[in-house]
Amino acid sequence: MATSKNKSRRRFVVRNSGIHGKGVFALSHIPKGTRLIEYKGQRLTEAQVDRRYAKDDNPHTFLFALDDGMVIDATTHGNSARWINHSCAPNCEAVDDKDRIYIETLRAIRPGEELSYNYGIELEERHTPALKRLYQCRCGARSCKGTILSVKKK
Ligand SMILES: C[S@@+](CC[C@H](N)C(=O)[O-])C[C@H]1O[C@@H](n2cnc3c(N)ncnc32)[C@H](O)[C@@H]1O
Ligand SMILES: [Zn+2]
């Protein structure tokens, strides 16, 4: 049962975002370097993801790609972390700790601020102007790059 003590410990809440759809917002002051939540979901290989989303050309996903080639699909068994939007000037980062992904604060966060991290999405194909538009970023940061896609590492 939820007690008032439990409620007062909630550090963030999911609600509608000005960036896109739903987002996650701080309920209290959160210090820099706080581990907030694990990005949970079903672990799939890239081939399984390709099969699952073969007919889907919508860039909206709940997928988190790991360095080892596996992908976390938060559509299944996901938690609130899946609602965190991308920002070009993020206040959080996604940290890989023994193949598990945690969202941690990069700086102190004020109550009401939307939590965000840099998705760092790199597609296999060339990031053409059309693809960049498809992945248009609406983070609103002064330093917004206009796209959620990252600069490709050579
Ligand atoms: C994991 S979901 C995040 C939650 C999302 N707001 C929702 O309501 O489903 C990721 C998707 O949200 C959208 N999104 C996240 N950050 C965005 C941003 N800065 N600008 C535009 N769309 C964004 C993109 O469609 C992205 O594929
Ligand atoms: Zn942006």
Side-chain angles (χ1 to χ4, degrees):
M1 197 175 79
T3 64
S4 56
K5 200 172 170 201
N6 284 336
K7 274 187 203 156
S8 67
R9 270 201 240 117
R10 280 176 68 203
R11 285 182 294 196
F12 50 81
V13 66
V14 176
R15 60 175 166 82
N16 289 341
S17 162
I19 297 178
H20 174 277
K22 288 183 190 172
V24 181
F25 294 80
L27 284 174
S28 59
H29 173 88
I30 307 173
K32 177 179 175 175
T34 305
R35 183 168 282 192
L36 286 173
I37 188 168
E38 180 177 353
Y39 193 100
K40 286 197 173 169
Q42 188 180 24
R43 286 192 180 233
L44 302 173
T45 62
E46 274 178 24
Q48 286 172 317
V49 170
D50 289 346
R51 276 200 296 280
R52 184 174 284 189
Y53 297 104
K55 292 190 189 117
D56 195 350
D57 55 6
N58 184 341
H60 179 273
T61 72
F62 291 108
L63 302 174
F64 192 109
L66 301 171
D67 288 343
D68 65 2
M70 295 295 286
V71 178
I72 301 174
D73 186 352
T75 313
T76 310
H77 307 310
N79 58 8
S80 301
R82 69 181 161 164
W83 299 112
I84 301 176
N85 281 318
H86 161 95
S87 173
C88 301
N91 51 20
C92 295
E93 63 180 337
V95 176
D96 187 327
D97 185 352
K98 301 186 191 85
D99 282 340
R100 293 169 74 166
I101 301 298
Y102 299 91
I103 307 301
E104 297 183 1
T105 55
L106 280 170
R107 59 165 174 78
I109 296 178
R110 296 179 304 277
E113 268 194 84
E114 178 164 357
L115 306 181
S116 60
Y117 63 94
N118 185 338
Y119 285 6
I121 301 176
E122 271 187 46
L123 303 177
E124 273 169 29
E125 60 265 55
R126 197 168 75 83
H127 292 178
T128 59
L131 265 183
K132 287 182 187 168
R133 271 197 303 280
L134 187 64
Y135 285 82
Q136 188 186 3
C137 183
R138 298 189 185 86
C139 75
R142 255 190 292 176
S143 57
C144 180
K145 296 177 184 66
T147 181
I148 295 175
L149 299 178
S150 279
V151 177
K152 280 209 174 203
K153 294 179 209 93
K154 297 264 158 62

